[in-house]
Amino acid sequence: MMKRCYILLLLVAVSAFAQQPKPMGEGLKKMTKEERKAAGQTPDAKATIDMYRVFTIDNDTTYIDTSLTIQKDYRFNYLRRDNFGLLPFANDGQPYNTLDFGLDGFSPFPQFGMRAKHFNYIRPEQMRYYQVATPLTELYFKTTIKQGQSVDAFLTLNLHERLNISVAYRGLRSVGRYENAMSSTGNFRFTSNYQTKSGRYFLKAHFTGQDFFNMENGGVLNLEDFESGDPAFDERGRLQVYLTDAQSTMKGNRYFFDHGFRVNGSDRQNNLWLLHQFNYEHEFFEYYQPTLRTDVVNSNDDFQRFGESYVASRLRDKSRYNRMYNKVGVAYENKSLGQVQFFIEDFNYNYFYQTAIVQNGEVIPSSLNARIENFGGQYTYKKGSWSGTALLRNAITNQRLSEIDVKADYQLNDDYLFAFRLQKLNRLPNHNFNLFQSDYIAYNWFNDFKNEKITHFEATADTPWINASLQATVLDDYLYFDDVSTDDRVLLVSPKQYGKTIKYLSVKASKEFRLGHFALDNTVLYQQVGQDDPVLNVPKLLTRNTLYYSGTLFKKAMFIQTGFTFQYFSKYKANDFNPLLGEFYVQTKREIGDFPLVDFFFNAKVRQTRIYLKAEHFNSPFTGNKFYSAPNYPYKDFLVRFGLVWTFFQ
């Protein structure tokens, strides 16, 4: 994989220099001593922070931030983002149970599936591009559970005033406290962006190579042992699990670029652009289980967790997926009226196995493949306090895919921002709903499910008084995985489509109160689901409250923040995790929740280094063993962890 990365780095650099040079932003060029003196700066003036820019594929721009805030504490985790609304499992690198349904984005295109394995899979819209005045390095380190470490190393530099590259690798190895629970993951990223001096041509490109390896234990077999409080089971490795040697592997490589060319030579009031976006991605998911039967301790009983199988041992299932996406468009831009774009999309996929299967007289094919052609348009407007986009796409092939997506933002001033979004989709099913093959007999299916129909409205308000958001979603023909087994020890899961309407509503509010050096940061989420059957299950109430102190030590050489974070969610019938599918499934037998999660933290900043020390879930020894991430998976125990983020400006 690394060899391909180096080749890609060379090709992008060479191809970019082969173009007429073009700039990505003003003000990144270093001034000479004479120019600094003429500008009123000292000859040795340093680059300012606004010369270290970070932007998305849509050119939403921020700057490198080395401050220490409570929001940085929330993002100091395996995902490197605020995970409010996600409930982690007992070991880093394992799945998250989704408490906030509003976190799920909607796309009309079919996806690979195996969604529980994609929480740390970096998608194209999550990639960041850079423009920096000097080389920039950031190092992230955090201890993990029992043995291992979590690291994220990042380097970016401008090879030219208008050509930037960045290279990053995020790696994790964590053994965990439970039997057969080790995680090992890696995310390699390479980006490049370039723009000619006149701004006539621009290019953003990236490559990602991502891999996720997990030992899968299937959860704790006897939950009574965990909840008993018996000191013998304080060593979690003594708890019997369903699977002792199963493991799963998911890998994916992506090659992506987005570029555009202005037809007219100079930037005018009216401009015409030719645009092209390309994305090729390959993924596979493999489940391997050498020992199929689970022997119950202190009993002559044994069973197979996923039912009967075609093989007696060394079971191996592998799903493969290739996709290629091309978007070609022409855009007319008027500086006063906005930009109108018309485009054609070509989406070509192949989801496949090695052979076809005949089971119960029915043929389960070896692959799903199709070509989807869309025609669409997009209008973008930004003037004064208003900005927004309106997108429409519709399939011109025989797939009934369509999307309407309208967004509007109103910025009253620097303190008040209001945003609205309306989305209506006719969405193709993820591939593993329609086709799956396994050496477990019950896990073979071939379906032709209808498209999901989704109407989604969202409104947010960011003000000095409160930050609030509202989401309302209507789901028709909703797809999910359901537990159809009658024996609690045997897990038989199959895809289902709900024929009735589901209505989802959420209200979220955040507010921080300050008094001197103390602050209380609060986030509350309320959710309500209207449905005739328990298909979409979420807790009604989630809350996170952080009471902390901010101050300085050692003659203001060190800035510190220390305090407590309290988290809680109400009881509900949470989805459980199936490692064979890499998916969560609906169950209605057990409730989890209604337990407090309290963390103590001490964070400090010295120059450009942020240091983090946290006692996670320190209340667990005296609040009882009733804490779960999923019905068969206990949440993490008390744990002290240390880490840091170190930023170098060279």
Side-chain angles (χ1 to χ4, degrees):
M1 184 185 80
M2 293 301 295
K3 182 178 179 181
R4 291 197 297 267
C5 298
Y6 292 135
I7 293 172
L8 182 69
L9 172 65
L10 179 62
L11 289 176
V12 171
V14 170
S15 65
F17 275 119
Q19 304 287 340
Q20 292 295 319
K22 70 186 159 191
M24 202 45 132
E26 307 273 346
L28 295 178
K29 183 179 179 180
K30 287 187 177 180
M31 294 188 293
T32 65
K33 290 185 178 181
E34 291 75 17
E35 289 172 329
R36 288 175 183 162
K37 187 175 181 180
Q41 299 181 14
T42 63
D44 296 322
K46 295 181 180 179
T48 55
I49 198 65
D50 61 343
M51 298 172 71
Y52 296 85
R53 304 181 183 183
V54 185
F55 48 95
T56 67
I57 189 67
D58 296 321
N59 289 324
D60 296 328
T61 304
T62 57
Y63 304 103
I64 296 295
D65 181 9
T66 62
S67 63
L68 178 65
T69 66
I70 194 62
Q71 300 302 322
K72 293 286 186 70
D73 178 77
Y74 296 154
R75 294 196 291 269
F76 189 72
N77 56 53
Y78 168 64
L79 297 180
R80 303 295 310 273
R81 63 178 186 266
D82 189 347
N83 61 7
F84 178 76
L86 296 176
L87 185 63
F89 275 36
N91 194 18
D92 289 349
Q94 291 183 318
Y96 290 73
N97 213 334
T98 302
L99 304 177
D100 178 4
F101 177 75
L103 294 175
D104 293 340
F106 301 114
S107 169
F109 293 102
Q111 305 297 320
F112 181 31
M114 294 72 183
R115 292 167 294 178
K117 296 296 179 179
H118 281 79
F119 284 98
N120 192 38
Y121 191 85
I122 302 173
R123 301 185 298 273
E125 63 272 17
Q126 295 174 314
M127 293 294 295
R128 296 295 180 263
Y129 305 87
Y130 301 87
Q131 283 288 316
V132 293
T134 63
L136 172 71
T137 303
E138 184 177 272
L139 300 177
Y140 161 97
F141 169 82
K142 188 176 184 180
T143 57
T144 56
I145 299 173
K146 199 170 183 179
Q147 294 179 21
Q149 56 278 319
S150 176
V151 297
D152 195 350
F154 163 76
L155 168 66
T156 182
L157 70 155
N158 271 47
L159 300 176
H160 181 272
E161 180 187 355
R162 296 173 299 277
L163 173 63
N164 174 275
I165 63 170
S166 74
V167 180
Y169 182 78
R170 181 188 304 171
L172 167 82
R173 181 178 175 85
S174 182
V175 172
R177 289 178 169 171
Y178 290 82
E179 183 183 2
N180 200 46
M182 191 269 285
S183 299
S184 178
T185 69
N187 307 77
F188 175 84
R189 296 100 71 199
F190 167 77
T191 74
S192 180
N193 66 84
Y194 172 72
Q195 185 173 342
T196 58
K197 188 173 183 179
S198 64
R200 192 175 185 183
Y201 176 81
F202 68 86
L203 167 71
K204 301 186 187 79
H206 74 251
F207 167 80
T208 61
Q210 307 183 71
D211 60 272
F212 308 90
F213 172 83
N214 293 98
M215 293 182 176
E216 306 284 5
N217 62 28
V220 174
L221 178 58
N222 298 309
L223 298 177
E224 297 80 5
D225 293 339
F226 169 71
E227 297 179 1
S228 67
D230 187 340
F233 296 112
D234 289 345
E235 173 56 52
R236 299 308 191 192
R238 295 178 177 177
L239 291 166
Q240 185 176 11
V241 295
Y242 282 99
L243 311 171
T244 58
D245 56 6
Q247 59 191 46
S248 68
T249 303
M250 192 185 81
K251 293 186 179 182
N253 291 343
R254 180 171 62 246
Y255 305 85
F256 177 96
F257 63 82
D258 180 84
H259 60 153
F261 177 76
R262 191 178 63 227
V263 176
N264 45 298
S266 59
D267 189 17
R268 303 172 185 169
Q269 176 70 14
N270 298 284
N271 298 301
L272 187 65
W273 288 88
L274 300 177
L275 305 170
H276 176 224
Q277 186 177 112
F278 171 83
N279 182 359
Y280 175 78
E281 200 155 5
H282 167 71
E283 293 183 67
F284 76 79
F285 174 76
E286 181 179 75
Y287 176 84
Y288 176 60
Q289 186 180 349
T291 306
L292 273 57
R293 303 201 69 82
T294 300
D295 295 317
V296 180
V297 174
N298 299 325
S299 171
N300 294 324
D301 193 14
D302 65 353
F303 62 95
Q304 291 194 172
R305 178 59 171 160
F306 301 110
E308 297 303 315
S309 59
Y310 290 115
V311 297
S313 63
R314 300 188 179 280
L315 180 144
R316 189 185 299 271
D317 298 335
K318 190 170 185 178
S319 307
R320 300 169 178 84
Y321 178 55
N322 297 325
R323 55 168 281 178
M324 185 167 68
Y325 171 83
N326 275 284
K327 178 181 178 181
V328 179
V330 58
Y332 166 74
E333 176 189 32
N334 179 280
K335 295 297 178 65
S336 301
L337 301 178
Q339 185 187 85
V340 178
Q341 177 188 162
F342 295 97
F343 58 83
I344 294 176
E345 295 174 303
D346 176 77
F347 183 88
N348 189 6
Y349 68 83
N350 186 26
Y351 169 83
F352 62 100
Y353 297 88
Q354 293 294 83
T355 59
I357 294 177
V358 178
Q359 183 172 283
N360 298 326
E362 297 183 2
V363 177
I364 298 174
S366 61
S367 66
L368 294 175
N369 51 75
R371 183 167 227 140
I372 303 170
E373 309 283 353
N374 293 332
F375 177 76
Q378 178 173 306
Y379 174 65
T380 304
Y381 176 82
K382 185 173 185 179
K383 191 172 182 66
S385 299
W386 284 97
S387 63
T389 61
L391 179 144
L392 171 66
R393 60 160 57 98
N394 199 84
I396 54 179
T397 46
N398 58 4
Q399 298 89 357
R400 296 181 177 179
L401 177 151
S402 64
E403 179 183 18
I404 299 172
D405 190 359
V406 180
K407 292 182 280 189
D409 296 345
Y410 178 71
Q411 179 120 29
L412 181 63
N413 52 45
D414 290 341
D415 295 325
Y416 292 85
L417 173 64
F418 304 92
F420 307 90
R421 183 179 189 183
L422 177 64
Q423 199 175 12
K424 189 175 180 64
L425 301 97
N426 196 345
R427 173 184 179 181
L428 292 169
N430 287 348
H431 300 307
N432 63 339
F433 283 114
N434 277 333
L435 175 64
F436 194 80
Q437 288 188 10
S438 173
D439 281 332
Y440 280 111
I441 296 174
Y443 286 83
N444 291 277
W445 55 73
F446 176 55
N447 300 305
D448 186 18
F449 286 120
K450 295 184 289 186
N451 285 10
E452 295 179 286
K453 288 82 177 176
I454 302 169
T455 303
H456 175 74
F457 173 76
E458 186 176 337
T460 61
D462 294 338
T463 74
W465 311 105
I466 195 171
N467 296 331
S469 64
L470 178 145
Q471 292 191 36
T473 306
V474 178
L475 304 163
D476 287 298
D477 298 317
Y478 177 70
L479 285 162
Y480 64 101
F481 287 97
D482 192 24
D483 180 8
V484 297
S485 57
T486 56
D487 184 344
D488 289 343
R489 300 185 306 177
V490 178
L491 181 59
L492 304 179
V493 170
S494 65
K496 296 289 182 65
Q497 186 156 46
Y498 190 58
K500 300 179 182 179
T501 298
I502 300 174
K503 298 178 180 179
Y504 168 83
L505 175 70
S506 73
V507 179
K508 182 180 178 181
S510 302
K511 172 64 178 176
E512 184 175 76
F513 300 94
R514 289 186 171 273
L515 181 61
H517 290 282
F518 291 90
L520 178 63
D521 184 72
N522 306 280
T523 301
V524 179
L525 172 68
Y526 174 79
Q527 302 178 106
Q528 185 67 48
V529 180
Q531 56 188 349
D532 292 338
D533 304 286
V535 172
L536 176 57
N537 301 315
V538 293
K540 284 191 175 182
L541 180 67
L542 285 82
T543 182
R544 179 178 65 193
N545 312 92
T546 301
L547 177 65
Y548 66 100
Y549 168 87
S550 301
T552 58
L553 297 174
F554 309 116
K555 297 181 180 181
K556 298 185 178 180
M558 175 183 287
F559 175 74
I560 67 165
Q561 288 187 335
T562 182
F564 298 89
T565 296
F566 170 87
Q567 297 183 75
Y568 170 87
F569 63 94
S570 55
K571 266 193 174 182
Y572 79 112
K573 292 183 172 64
N575 290 350
D576 210 344
F577 174 60
N578 185 316
L580 174 64
L581 295 174
E583 292 274 5
F584 283 90
Y585 63 92
V586 173
Q587 63 83 35
T588 56
K589 298 174 183 177
R590 285 179 54 85
E591 289 186 329
I592 68 169
D594 196 25
F595 58 87
L597 300 173
V598 185
D599 300 337
F600 168 77
F601 63 90
F602 182 92
N603 303 332
K605 180 191 175 191
V606 180
R607 308 187 83 175
Q608 275 76 51
T609 304
R610 283 88 73 202
I611 303 167
Y612 299 86
L613 179 67
K614 180 170 289 190
E616 298 182 359
H617 198 192
F618 79 87
N619 61 305
S620 65
F622 45 86
T623 53
N625 292 343
K626 294 288 187 178
F627 43 87
Y628 289 90
S629 298
N632 287 297
Y633 291 83
Y635 184 73
K636 65 182 70 172
D637 293 284
F638 167 66
L639 177 68
V640 177
R641 306 176 75 173
F642 164 80
L644 58 84
V645 177
W646 197 347
T647 306
F648 302 87
F649 295 91
Q650 301 174 20

